[in-house]
Amino acid sequence: MTKKNIGLLMILALVVIMLVGYIKKEATTKEAIVDPGYEVELTEKQGVGQGQIAPDFTLKTLDGESVTLSALKGKKVILNFWASWCPPCKAEMPHLQSYYDQYAEEDNVVLLAANATFSDKGAENVQTFVNSYKLTFPILLMEDESVVNLYQVLSLPTTYFIDTEGRIQRQFIGPLDENALKNYVQALN
């Protein structure tokens, strides 16, 4: 490795460490308001632990459509948090696309890729990334940190696997490959 490459890696590592520290500092446990259409007992709290009801949110896609998580009840959901500047996210994207193309419909899965748009220099940069990777699954735009904080995301990529009842069954931090995606989805009900 050249000195220039080592320097760039050190700068990238510092940026990631600073971002994780900032997100960790800002992350708070929040109780989300249960959407009345989400058919859960009001005694149940939403949360990011295994078996808890996934916190509800509504975000816009790159296409301008609104997606509300609770409206997807009855389907399995892969909720992936990512950014275009994140090297592991870049490595993961072809696997997400391959899974989406081959298995998502058959597995009754909705794949949602929630982009940290607030740190990604805006939707135009995200669209450029999506075009270059030829991504066809829904890309959600997080214009602020509220959903990242709600899901207590401290590192990118982070992926949640949500079952048909809207419960979180698994959280995975780091990049996933197609086989891991398939295996984790098969474990969902």
Side-chain angles (χ1 to χ4, degrees):
M1 261 189 172
T2 67
K3 287 183 181 181
K4 182 179 180 182
N5 288 344
I6 292 171
L8 288 174
L9 284 175
M10 289 178 66
I11 290 171
L12 179 62
L14 288 172
V15 168
V16 170
I17 289 167
M18 288 173 37
L19 180 63
V20 168
Y22 177 74
I23 291 172
K24 190 173 186 177
K25 178 183 166 201
E26 295 295 318
T28 57
T29 304
K30 297 180 182 179
E31 280 190 35
I33 298 171
V34 177
D35 181 342
Y38 196 39
E39 297 181 22
V40 295
E41 292 180 32
L42 294 177
T43 57
E44 287 188 291
K45 291 182 182 176
Q46 296 181 352
V48 294
Q50 184 176 6
Q52 289 186 299
I53 299 295
D56 201 14
F57 61 83
T58 299
L59 291 171
K60 295 270 187 200
T61 66
L62 268 174
D63 300 330
E65 297 179 30
S66 290
V67 173
T68 301
L69 182 64
S70 61
L72 301 174
K73 188 174 180 186
K75 293 185 179 250
K76 300 170 190 174
V77 177
I78 299 171
L79 176 58
N80 176 265
F81 292 93
W82 68 284
S84 68
W85 50 260
C86 163
C89 300
K90 291 177 183 181
E92 180 180 60
M93 283 301 157
H95 297 285
L96 291 173
Q97 185 61 52
S98 181
Y99 175 83
Y100 183 75
D101 289 341
Q102 293 183 42
Y103 303 110
E105 187 174 337
E106 171 187 321
D107 290 346
N108 190 33
V109 171
V110 175
L111 172 58
L112 300 175
N115 174 265
T117 314
F118 59 87
S119 72
D120 226 344
K121 299 179 184 170
E124 291 172 5
N125 190 46
V126 177
Q127 185 66 61
T128 300
F129 181 92
V130 166
N131 293 345
S132 70
Y133 280 80
K134 298 179 180 153
L135 304 178
T136 59
F137 46 83
I139 304 296
L140 304 178
L141 302 176
M142 295 185 295
E143 300 288 344
D144 62 44
E145 300 170 20
S146 59
V147 177
V148 166
N149 290 340
L150 191 61
Y151 277 81
Q152 300 174 16
V153 175
L154 301 177
S155 179
L156 297 175
T158 294
T159 305
Y160 286 90
F161 293 85
I162 302 168
D163 67 20
T164 57
E165 295 177 0
R167 296 183 183 278
I168 293 174
Q169 294 302 322
R170 180 177 304 273
Q171 175 198 41
F172 190 89
I173 299 170
L176 289 159
D177 64 22
E178 188 177 330
N179 289 334
L181 287 161
K182 184 74 172 151
N183 290 336
Y184 291 152
V185 167
Q186 286 178 344
L188 297 175
N189 60 7

